Amino acid sequence: YNDSSFYGNQPYVYWHDQDHLLITFNATSLGTGRTIQSAKLFVYDIDSYIDSGTGSRAYKMIRMWSEASSSWYVAGAGDPWSSPGGDYDGNVKSPEIILPNTSNKWMEFDITIPFTSHYLTSLNDINNKGFLVKMEDYTYDYIVVAMKEYNTVSQRPKLVVTVSQSPMHGGDVGN
């Protein structure tokens, strides 16, 4: 929030109440023409200092951004967001979850609606735009979240997509 720093190569981030997590996946292995039954985003809470009952949702990003150079103010070098924190569709979102107020927990977002919206447009939208995760309630505390560079591979963000034929697992993760 209100930060011009770049966190794209960090193993973990301190997610404060007004911060937005930007997450993308390489979903090209999914292919086209599938019927999406569900899509789940799993993000690992390394350490939690958050108020009990704090809610969160994942939203469909509507603009490409650069992992290496995006911040609160810019989607990439010299390319400001239309709205600080990231450009997303407030109507295409996951159901709200309650964030854990204890450490070492998975946060599971049902992103079927935003994922399917991207998928029906283009696989490149999943790869290049992804999802914005934000807290719905304001708190003065934070959660430490594992990102794709985190040293414990099993605790990095995960995307699990179930299609009508069989479950497909997303590939590389971006943060």
Side-chain angles (χ1 to χ4, degrees):
Y1 167 71
N2 208 13
D3 194 342
S4 58
S5 300
F6 307 117
Y7 298 100
N9 63 353
Q10 299 300 309
Y12 56 87
V13 294
Y14 289 82
W15 181 26
H16 295 266
D17 61 352
Q18 293 184 33
D19 292 340
H20 297 163
L21 301 176
L22 305 182
I23 300 177
T24 187
F25 293 89
N26 181 342
T28 54
S29 64
L30 184 59
T32 59
R34 303 259 182 131
T35 301
I36 306 298
Q37 291 182 331
S38 71
K40 307 283 184 180
L41 168 64
F42 295 89
V43 181
Y44 195 75
D45 158 24
I46 300 168
D47 211 359
S48 184
Y49 301 93
I50 199 111
D51 295 336
S52 178
T54 301
S56 179
R57 292 183 196 270
Y59 294 83
K60 175 186 175 182
M61 291 290 294
I62 57 174
R63 183 166 173 197
M64 290 176 28
W65 52 277
S66 166
E67 179 182 359
S69 59
S70 65
S71 72
W72 185 257
Y73 299 110
V74 297
D79 187 17
W81 293 112
S82 298
S83 178
D87 299 339
Y88 63 97
D89 186 335
N91 295 314
V92 184
K93 59 191 173 190
S94 71
E96 184 174 25
I97 68 163
I98 301 301
L99 297 173
N101 63 346
T102 57
S103 302
N104 300 310
K105 303 276 184 191
W106 282 102
M107 297 174 279
E108 179 182 336
F109 296 87
D110 179 352
I111 61 168
T112 304
I113 292 170
F115 182 89
T116 302
S117 179
H118 274 321
Y119 181 74
L120 292 174
T121 304
S122 168
L123 278 174
N124 287 331
D125 280 0
I126 298 165
N127 301 344
N128 299 325
K129 295 178 183 175
F131 310 94
L132 178 146
V133 181
K134 71 182 196 94
M135 294 183 197
E136 297 294 307
D137 306 299
Y138 292 104
T139 177
Y140 294 102
D141 296 320
Y142 60 90
I143 295 177
V144 181
V145 177
M147 300 311 282
K148 76 175 176 94
E149 292 82 1
Y150 194 60
N151 59 353
T152 305
V153 174
S154 65
Q155 295 174 346
R156 294 175 179 174
K158 299 174 184 7
L159 171 66
V160 177
V161 179
T162 303
V163 297
S164 53
Q165 295 88 354
S166 64
M168 296 292 294
H169 297 278
D172 301 328
V173 180
N175 55 329

